[in-house]
Amino acid sequence: MTPLGKRIAGLIEALGPISVSEYMALCLSDPDYGYYTTRQPFGRNGDFTTAPEISQMFGELVGVWLAAAWQALGRPADAMVVEIGPGRGTLMKDIARTVARIAPALRASASFHLVETSPRLRDVQATTLADSGSFAWHADIVELPDRPLFIVGNELFDALPVHQYVRTAKGWRERVVGLDDDDTLRFYAGAGSTELSLLPRDAETAPEGAVVEISPARAALMHKIADRIAARSGAGLFIDYGYAKPAVGDTLQALLKHAYDDPLAHPGEADLTAHVDFAALAQAARQTGLDAHLLTQGEFLLGMGLLERAGQLGAAADEAARERLSREVERLAGPQAMGNLFKVLAVLPAGGRVEPFPG
């Protein structure tokens, strides 16, 4: 058992089983052994590779969209460009470079910020961005200045904890993590019943053994972001993997060295995520008065000119580079790769319109 696994087992022994949400939070954010507080998970030497690490084109097109949103909303002179959950800083580096090229007035007038809780990752980001201009770091969005907010989050919400509920012969019970007779971590159905009204509509007809997931943490974060945009204007772009409508199913998964792992096997040493319910995020944004629009990642990138950008980069490249660009396009936008599984949610002031999202 990992050091964090031993700590969690001791907690369960003393206080009883913990929710899946509590387990995720401990695994990812424990100050001594948490995955994101102690590791550099990104890239070939980590446990997974995100879209900005696959190709510069991803960050460039996100930068184009943020610049277009800034222009569509009246070019506010005191804007902030913010990335929340910025990984190694690769996406922000590509955004800053692109904005400087296509919207120099935005690069000159806006301040650029990163919201990051991990001191280790902040150091990595600072190294990545060393030659890209001036940036400020914050632990929470509440620390950001009170200015128009243009914010992006890539693979952010999938790492926020979810509560899981399982249907039993006696009704819906919250799924918990406890210890078996060998003191090994195991999933169980909790003792208390759960109100059906708290669960997605599909839960009404779900069979015994079915699992549903809800995430108050994700909704709360979206509310915080949307409240700031509603108050001072701006736009948000959020890219993650998940489903467009609420669904029934256990999506909790662990990744270790680019391979799937048992979520209970290596606490603190494997990444834990769950699919994002984009309908819930959109609802949270709309509750603050914003508009919310959803596309697949493939639709978004192709609509932003992915093929054209690949053609530009390939025009002066050799055959090997053109083949690499073709593979990157397929991986980012292909329906059998990231194109359909990943979604892109745009949140804008009511009536705001920025291509390729519909008005």
Side-chain angles (χ1 to χ4, degrees):
M1 190 177 288
T2 66
L4 181 58
K6 293 176 182 177
R7 178 177 289 184
I8 292 173
L11 177 67
I12 292 171
E13 226 172 12
L15 301 176
I18 60 175
S19 69
V20 171
S21 177
E22 291 174 290
Y23 176 74
M24 284 187 71
L26 286 168
C27 288
L28 298 177
S29 303
D30 181 85
D32 298 318
Y33 300 114
Y35 183 75
Y36 284 111
T37 53
T38 62
R39 297 175 182 272
Q40 296 180 21
F42 308 97
R44 292 181 180 178
N45 296 324
D47 296 308
F48 56 89
T49 302
T50 59
E53 308 290 342
I54 293 171
S55 174
Q56 70 182 68
M57 295 183 290
F58 180 85
E60 289 171 344
L61 296 177
V62 170
V64 171
W65 190 88
L66 290 171
W70 175 73
Q71 291 169 346
L73 294 170
R75 301 164 61 94
D78 57 345
M80 295 181 293
V81 176
V82 178
E83 184 181 1
I84 180 170
R88 296 200 306 181
T90 305
L91 176 57
M92 178 56 88
K93 182 176 183 176
D94 291 337
I95 288 171
R97 184 186 68 253
T98 301
V99 168
R101 178 170 55 86
I102 67 169
L106 172 60
R107 186 67 180 97
S109 64
S111 56
F112 284 66
H113 304 256
L114 299 97
V115 179
E116 176 60 69
T117 59
S118 168
R120 182 184 293 266
L121 287 176
R122 284 191 185 196
D123 290 341
V124 174
Q125 293 152 15
T127 299
T128 300
L129 296 168
D131 299 324
S132 298
S134 177
F135 300 87
W137 275 261
H138 311 271
D140 192 288
I141 64 167
V142 299
E143 299 175 7
L144 291 169
D146 185 22
R147 300 165 67 179
L149 174 63
F150 294 82
I151 186 169
V152 61
N154 180 60
E155 295 200 40
L156 165 72
F157 286 100
D158 68 281
L160 295 183
V162 298
H163 290 268
Q164 289 190 324
Y165 298 88
V166 59
R167 186 158 202 170
T168 72
K170 297 182 179 180
W172 286 95
R173 301 286 189 268
E174 181 159 16
R175 202 180 190 199
V176 297
V177 178
L179 296 173
D180 64 14
D181 293 339
D182 296 322
D183 289 333
T184 301
L185 296 176
R186 290 286 182 268
F187 289 117
Y188 296 97
S193 60
T194 300
E195 286 290 332
L196 186 61
S197 61
L198 299 175
L199 305 179
R201 185 176 301 174
D202 288 354
E204 297 178 9
T205 57
E208 188 174 331
V211 173
V212 298
E213 299 167 342
I214 61 172
S215 180
R218 293 172 179 173
L221 177 58
M222 179 56 78
H223 271 293
K224 288 168 67 174
I225 294 170
D227 282 341
R228 292 181 69 94
I229 293 174
R232 289 300 309 273
S233 188
L237 193 72
F238 304 99
I239 307 103
D240 230 310
Y241 60 88
Y243 37 88
K245 298 179 180 179
V248 174
D250 175 10
T251 72
L252 180 67
Q253 63 185 30
L255 275 176
L256 182 63
K257 300 186 186 305
H258 297 271
Y260 290 109
D261 191 39
D262 181 339
L264 300 180
H266 299 98
E269 295 182 0
D271 182 37
L272 288 183
T273 66
H275 281 34
V276 174
D277 178 355
F278 279 95
L281 290 186
Q283 180 182 21
R286 290 175 181 134
Q287 286 171 346
T288 68
L290 300 183
D291 286 347
H293 308 285
L294 187 67
L295 294 173
T296 66
Q297 181 170 295
E299 291 170 334
F300 171 76
L301 292 176
L302 293 173
M304 290 300 298
L306 177 63
L307 295 179
E308 292 80 0
R309 181 54 177 157
Q312 291 173 352
L313 293 172
D318 59 22
E319 183 63 25
R322 287 194 290 272
E323 289 179 2
R324 174 182 55 79
L325 288 165
S326 179
R327 290 194 299 270
E328 290 173 359
V329 167
E330 180 59 30
R331 189 169 176 188
L332 290 173
Q336 304 305 316
M338 300 173 75
N340 284 347
L341 176 61
F342 279 70
K343 311 294 190 299
V344 183
L345 177 69
V347 296
L348 295 156
R353 185 173 187 273
V354 183
E355 294 284 357
F357 297 94

